[in-house]
Amino acid sequence: MAAAVGDADALLAAVAEHRPDLVLTDVRMPPGLADEGLRAALHLRAERPDLPVLVLSQYVQRSYAADLLAGGGGAGVGYLLKDRVGHVEEFLAAVDTVAAGGTVVDPEVVRRLLARRRDPLERLTPREREVLELMARGCSNAEICRRLTVSEAATAKHIGNILLKLDLPPAEDTHRRVLAVLAHLGGGED
Amino acid sequence: MSDCWQALRRPGFLRTAWPWRSAAYLLACALAGAVLCAVLLLWAAVGGALSVLLVGVPLLAALPLAGLVSGAGERRLLRLMGGAPVPDPHRVPDGPGPRAWLRTRYAEGATWREAGGAVLSAFLLWPLELLVVAGALLVPAWLVTTPLQLALDGEQVNVLKVWQLHAPGQAWAVAAGGAVLLALAGYPLAVAAGTRAALARALAGGQERVGELVRSRARLVDAFEAERRRIERDLHDGAQQRLVALSMSLGLARLDAPPGGPLARRLAAAHAEADAALAELRELVHGIHPRVLADRGLPDACADLADRSVLPVAVDVRLPGRLPAAVESAGYFAVAEALANAARHAGASAARVHGRWSAGRLRLDVSDDGTGGADPARGTGLTGLADRVAVVGGRLSVSSPPGGPTLLRVEIPCTPTTDPRSASSSPRTPSSSARA
């Protein structure tokens, strides 16, 4: 750990000073205790596209996640509910994913989006829906294989079917894929 | 802003804008009264003539409603005279639609007071007002021109038709007198305008006691709102953080426990409990005061409500900026309640939320394709909402015929507040839309 800071301005200053490998921030930070942490994260993603940023939030808010994912460049980005910190191994895996340039979206955000959009999703099989949920959370193909204990070929087939059924463009890069899936689930927003 | 009576007692009154404002107010009143006189006479004549054909009867019956227009005009004109703002005396109609509106208007005293005021203004006051302005301004002005008139005539001039003058010296004296009168004309003008304004206030204004009551209710709601925000913050900084810390400790303990043993199972159960407590607390805190509303405003908060709803909800809320917190909060809870009702009682399969700000008011429509039959008189949720909306000066109307569809409409007068913080640093436009 390079530095621990108490407010958003100090965060920006510390990032400039220490050039860390990853920034982990709460949405809510002093002084305003509103969404300063998120704003700082968006600022950092715009200023330093190569810096991975993981944002923790007390609440599941699609608009926060959407802002975070939409802004910035190719570096890793994540939006997790604060509760996930308790599940140490999963949380560390998420940190690793983001640090390695991956994208992590909280399962709760994804679940809510899936719950909301019924019509187009009815065309998916239950297994395809599971795959879609993992895709939206930022899992790579290999990870989806591992979590669902299916073969690489089967996963690729499911993904192909999903993209076809939802009319989504194929994307190799997981971040782009997350964006496309979320945009689709969010009804074209962002 | 002070009123003209206070200004009258202060030295230097004549150098203020009050004499001019008084004259302008009286002239405007006179003009409005003359127009009103013509309109009322024409209306009554047409209505009377057509009453043989029965068409004229409703026309005549609608005559008292002219007072609504003239009353609104009086209240507008009163702004010229400063003082406390004049509240609209009319009640919010009992229900949606023109019938309820007419019933309310004919039943309330304010309509008839305004109608009386209209008759008084149209048939008695406006000639008097003209006379006062003419007497105070034109007569002295005419006196000032006496030397000019004498010069033009060459021999003599009749001052105000009663007094013949021949010498230029006398003419100049009269002119000087006229100038003094002209300067002092501010006093009678202000007295007349002040009296006229007091009459207009009495006839077209709301009762101050009601205004005070509304303000005290609004204060109460503000205090309530602040309290909710404080509770939300306290829970966020206190209980929620402790629970997160607890969950983290349990998670770390699980790593240390021998896997598969009874300790690991107990720890896993405790961890699950802690997570469930966190999830419940999160929902509870969100219900008390949604963070997204404070951070992002109504459009995002409505999108969030749509996300949480079990129905597919199409959201289209576009606003020119942030609105006052009390208005946002009233609108938010109205939309939340409407969506909850649509899902719970109406058996709807989809809902829409539409919101716009225009002409000084926020309008939010929530519609669903359910079975309808929502009745504000029975549902306590709707009554509570109507109260909440009424406190911020708005109104809530529900159209929900049996068989549906249901439309709930909230209208709240307000002005957008500029929020440079969210405008500058948010990459999104202040409005957003989401379609399901």
Side-chain angles (χ1 to χ4, degrees):
Chain A
M1 185 158 71
V5 296
D7 65 63
D9 290 337
L11 171 64
L12 298 181
V15 167
E17 188 190 334
H18 300 285
R19 314 197 73 77
D21 298 325
L22 176 123
V23 168
L24 177 65
T25 176
D26 194 336
V27 164
R28 209 151 156 183
M29 288 260 258
L33 286 176
D35 53 355
E36 280 87 352
L38 180 74
R39 289 171 194 282
L42 291 173
H43 182 73
L44 284 175
R45 266 176 75 67
E47 293 275 293
R48 304 202 27 202
D50 56 324
L51 177 67
V53 178
L54 177 55
V55 176
L56 296 178
S57 172
Q58 194 70 262
Y59 307 107
V60 182
Q61 226 82 133
R62 179 164 54 93
S63 51
Y64 295 173
D67 278 4
L68 201 59
L69 265 59
V77 62
Y79 176 80
L80 283 181
L81 208 54
K82 219 186 258 176
D83 308 14
R84 311 294 169 213
V85 179
H87 297 263
V88 182
E89 283 173 337
E90 275 178 47
F91 178 68
L92 291 178
V95 170
D96 286 343
T97 306
V98 172
T103 304
V104 173
V105 178
D106 195 275
E108 192 68 32
V109 176
V110 174
R111 208 164 301 142
R112 193 165 283 170
L113 285 173
L114 288 174
R116 193 175 151 233
R117 306 255 313 163
R118 280 184 301 199
D119 326 342
L121 298 182
E122 268 161 16
R123 278 176 278 156
L124 301 183
T125 64
R127 179 40 66 102
E128 281 168 357
R129 228 173 292 176
E130 281 173 9
V131 174
L132 178 69
E133 189 172 331
L134 291 173
M135 282 164 73
R137 280 162 58 177
C139 296
S140 63
N141 289 14
E143 214 175 333
I144 295 174
C145 295
R146 191 176 56 74
R147 284 184 187 245
L148 298 180
T149 51
V150 290
S151 71
E152 185 99 26
T155 305
K157 197 188 77 190
H158 286 314
I159 291 175
N161 283 346
I162 292 168
L163 297 181
L164 196 70
K165 284 183 182 177
L166 299 185
D167 226 3
L168 292 172
E172 287 307 309
D173 162 16
T174 51
H175 179 74
R176 277 229 201 107
R177 193 164 78 185
V178 172
L179 276 185
V181 172
L182 288 185
H184 177 77
L185 295 175
E189 191 183 17
D190 297 302
Chain B
M1 198 193 307
S2 65
D3 69 5
C4 79
W5 300 112
Q6 288 163 341
L8 263 173
R9 280 194 289 273
R10 252 176 249 134
F13 164 77
L14 289 174
R15 284 194 306 275
T16 66
W18 278 106
W20 300 105
R21 283 164 74 154
S22 302
Y25 177 67
L26 285 173
L27 264 183
C29 283
L31 212 66
V35 171
L36 192 63
C37 178
V39 170
L40 285 182
L41 286 177
L42 194 69
W43 190 336
V46 171
L50 291 180
S51 58
V52 199
L53 300 168
L54 287 179
V55 197
V57 177
L59 215 54
L60 282 179
L63 206 49
L65 297 183
L68 296 181
V69 181
S70 85
E74 291 278 5
R75 283 191 292 279
R76 255 193 124 69
L77 283 177
L78 272 174
R79 290 191 209 161
L80 262 177
M81 294 301 288
V86 190
D88 188 325
H90 294 287
R91 276 193 293 131
V92 173
D94 305 325
R99 257 162 178 282
W101 185 83
L102 280 176
R103 206 170 42 235
T104 309
R105 288 294 167 264
Y106 274 103
E108 64 185 352
T111 306
W112 297 97
R113 268 191 292 134
E114 282 177 340
V119 169
L120 208 60
S121 167
F123 299 111
L124 179 68
L125 292 180
W126 73 265
L128 290 178
E129 288 152 6
L130 266 190
L131 213 63
V132 169
V133 176
L137 291 179
L138 293 186
V139 171
W142 186 245
L143 290 183
V144 170
T145 62
T146 309
L148 191 68
Q149 294 173 49
L150 186 65
L152 285 178
D153 190 85
E155 283 186 14
Q156 65 164 23
V157 62
N158 291 329
V159 180
L160 300 178
K161 309 274 182 208
V162 289
W163 190 19
Q164 291 193 347
L165 283 183
H166 300 282
Q170 285 171 314
W172 283 110
V174 169
V180 171
L181 279 182
L182 195 59
L184 293 178
Y187 286 103
L189 280 175
V191 170
T195 313
R196 176 71 177 80
L199 184 69
R201 251 174 224 282
L203 290 174
Q207 280 141 358
E208 199 43 37
R209 210 177 64 81
V210 174
E212 178 49 40
L213 211 61
V214 167
R215 274 196 294 280
S216 88
R217 270 213 302 179
R219 276 198 299 273
L220 209 61
V221 166
D222 279 348
F224 186 57
E225 210 42 53
E227 190 64 11
R228 285 174 92 109
R229 240 168 280 159
R230 191 188 62 76
I231 292 171
E232 187 265 344
R233 208 168 43 232
D234 286 358
L235 284 174
H236 176 274
D237 298 342
Q240 278 182 318
Q241 304 294 7
R242 280 181 196 280
L243 273 173
V244 169
L246 172 67
S247 167
M248 198 152 80
S249 301
L250 286 169
L252 289 170
R254 281 177 74 184
L255 289 182
D256 294 340
L263 180 61
R265 278 202 300 279
R266 278 178 191 277
L267 281 174
H271 201 183
E273 283 294 321
D275 280 352
L278 258 175
E280 274 180 28
L281 186 61
R282 188 167 52 236
E283 285 309 304
L284 179 76
V285 172
H286 187 89
I288 292 172
H289 186 86
R291 201 58 236 170
V292 66
L293 182 63
D295 288 349
R296 299 297 183 95
L298 259 183
D300 278 16
C302 286
D304 178 60
L305 280 175
D307 281 358
R308 290 168 168 269
S309 174
V310 294
L311 298 173
V313 181
V315 180
D316 181 11
V317 179
R318 286 161 215 263
L319 303 175
R322 294 297 298 268
L323 304 176
V327 174
E328 284 188 339
S329 169
Y332 174 84
F333 284 105
V335 173
E337 177 76 17
L339 288 180
N341 282 344
R344 222 180 297 141
H345 306 304
S349 66
R352 301 183 60 82
V353 179
H354 186 268
R356 289 290 184 276
W357 182 90
S358 70
R361 57 178 51 218
L362 166 72
R363 197 169 98 179
L364 285 168
D365 287 347
V366 184
S367 51
D368 68 58
D369 60 356
T371 53
D375 186 357
R378 277 186 296 137
T380 48
L382 281 178
T383 329
L385 272 186
D387 287 347
R388 191 169 186 145
V389 170
V391 166
V392 285
R395 72 174 119 189
L396 175 130
S397 46
V398 180
S399 149
S400 183
T406 299
L407 171 69
L408 178 136
R409 173 169 289 175
V410 176
E411 288 174 286
I412 307 173
C414 57
T415 38
T417 53
T418 42
D419 181 6
R421 192 184 57 117
S422 70
S424 63
S425 53
S426 170
R428 292 150 59 93
T429 50
S431 66
S432 86
S433 67
R435 284 160 301 279

